[in-house]
Amino acid sequence: MTNKLKYFVGNWKMFGSFSSLKNIYRIHRFCVKFNKARKKNKIILCVPNTLIYFFTKKFRSKIISIGAQNCHHHQTKGSFTGSVNAKMLKNVGAKYIILGHSESRHEGDTNQLIKKKIKSALNQQLYVIFCIGETYSEKIRKKTFSVLKNQLKSSMDKKINLNNIIIAYEPVWSIGTGKIPKIDSLRNIFRFIKNEFKKNLKTKTSPPVLYGGSVNDKNITKFTSILEIDGFLIGGASRSSKKFIDIIKNYYK
Ligand code: PEP
């Protein structure tokens, strides 16, 4: 286990209400104590847009930040019914944003569209959690590396602000299914992503790379041997403060 900062990111999806503030307080109370005694952890909760302003006004913390889950690619105002852009999310207090999530790709987000969204979020100084990952059919056709390579290459501008990017490797077949990749293959994938990023953007360092897909308080211990994992993007289990806290606790056991 290294001493490096670890990210635990919750993706609440289309769940949560004003009363979920109590979950955030619980996580915060735990982290204040835990971070003092143990490692440094950064907690990011990506919540529905309707809750961002409420949470960020009620709650200020260096340990927990609030993020959004997607945005429209247009940088300025416009006739886009039902849409919200990165600037609007920034204005209501979001610090982070998930982009390229497989559920958003499923709704029509292409690599080209995601590229525009990343650009517009970075222009607003939001931190981008950029999701990549192969589908089950791509995995069995042994296309994982070429899919990841293409997603990285076609969605990221060479001139982006590297300090504001976090990558999340989320195999689509693992999201919400209870299935996780084999540890050896995951280690290779993490090495590949980090090398590929450095190659594409001609940099010596890679941004943090997180793992996401069916992470829970039981299987989290399986990931501890992969030093290349800089943290986790957690969907279902992040909606319960107890499960979320147990994931962090068990990671360090
Ligand atoms: C996600 O939606 O980003 C995710 C990882 O979901 P789950 O943890 O439920 O698989």
Side-chain angles (χ1 to χ4, degrees), residues 81-221:
T81 305
S83 302
V84 169
N85 68 16
K87 189 172 184 183
M88 291 163 160
L89 294 169
K90 170 86 179 183
N91 282 344
V92 291
K95 288 226 158 32
Y96 288 78
I97 184 163
I98 295 174
L99 291 174
H101 192 281
S102 63
E103 285 156 12
S104 312
R105 290 178 191 263
H106 189 72
E107 294 288 318
D109 275 10
T110 58
N111 287 332
Q112 287 68 33
L113 206 55
I114 294 163
K115 184 175 188 171
K116 288 184 187 165
K117 292 185 179 196
I118 293 179
K119 196 169 170 202
S120 101
L122 291 177
N123 280 344
Q124 295 303 322
Q125 280 82 45
L126 287 171
Y127 290 89
V128 170
I129 301 165
F130 170 41
C131 300
I132 55 175
E134 81 285 4
T135 62
Y136 182 66
S137 122
E138 288 160 345
K139 173 183 154 61
I140 54 171
R141 285 184 289 124
K142 304 208 181 313
K143 297 268 184 230
T144 299
F145 291 106
S146 62
V147 168
L148 297 177
K149 187 177 176 153
N150 183 40
Q151 288 175 337
L152 283 169
K153 206 169 179 166
S154 49
S155 299
M156 255 185 312
D157 204 283
K158 292 227 158 66
K159 287 181 240 132
I160 60 170
N161 178 358
L162 298 177
N163 297 326
N164 283 28
I165 284 273
I166 296 170
I167 292 174
Y169 169 60
E170 297 209 307
V172 183
W173 52 269
S174 172
I175 296 178
T177 61
K179 295 188 183 124
I180 57 167
K182 294 208 170 69
I183 293 305
D184 279 347
S185 101
L186 196 55
R187 185 179 288 111
N188 287 338
I189 290 172
F190 267 70
R191 287 183 183 155
F192 175 82
I193 293 171
K194 290 189 170 186
N195 283 335
E196 203 53 35
F197 186 94
K198 288 192 261 182
K199 220 165 60 189
N200 275 345
L201 293 161
K202 301 197 178 13
T203 119
K204 289 205 170 70
T205 50
S206 151
V209 184
L210 318 182
Y211 169 74
S214 291
V215 171
N216 62 36
D217 52 330
K218 309 278 178 318
N219 63 24
I220 186 72
T221 52

